[in-house]
Amino acid sequence: MEIFRQLQQHLPPFAFDIFKLCIWLLLLMLIFLPLERLCEQHSQKVVRKAFFTDLGYYFLNGILPRMLLILPLSMLVWGLHHVMPSGIDAFVTGMPLWLRFTAAVIVGEFGSYW
């Protein structure tokens, strides 16, 4: 964990995002490649004709939404910060952690869906 913190401090945010995507890709491959071999219905190579296309889509889907949404979401947060009454901040801070976490998950899922 300390290595990740140091990398996050020394790498630009974009490079660290790519690094995280690479780590997730390796973890997913370690899980799903053996499962594919155990439960395969049609045998196929790991590095097949469309492998690099799939790899490109994996990284594009991991990076592009962040790049496209950073400006509109930043403007939305800035606007809400100026419109929202200060009492709401104190109310949310006083909520128990499990309730804040649940609310964050619900808001995140709603925002992700729309």
Side-chain angles (χ1 to χ4, degrees), residues 88-105:
I88 291 177
D89 238 0
F91 174 73
V92 172
T93 305
M95 290 169 47
L97 181 61
W98 66 269
L99 189 57
R100 282 188 287 169
F101 178 76
T102 305
V105 168

Side-chain angles (χ1 to χ4, degrees), residues 1 4-5 10 20-22 24 36 39 43 49 51 53 59 61 63 82 84 94 97 100 102 106 108 110 112-113:
M1 290 305 260
F4 289 113
R5 276 193 220 108
H10 297 316
K20 287 190 305 187
L21 285 171
C22 290
W24 274 111
E36 278 189 19
C39 305
S43 180
K49 187 176 181 180
F51 177 77
T53 303
F59 282 102
N61 284 328
I63 296 170
H82 289 345
M84 186 175 68
L97 181 61
R100 282 188 287 169
T102 305
I106 291 170
F110 183 77
S112 173
Y113 178 78

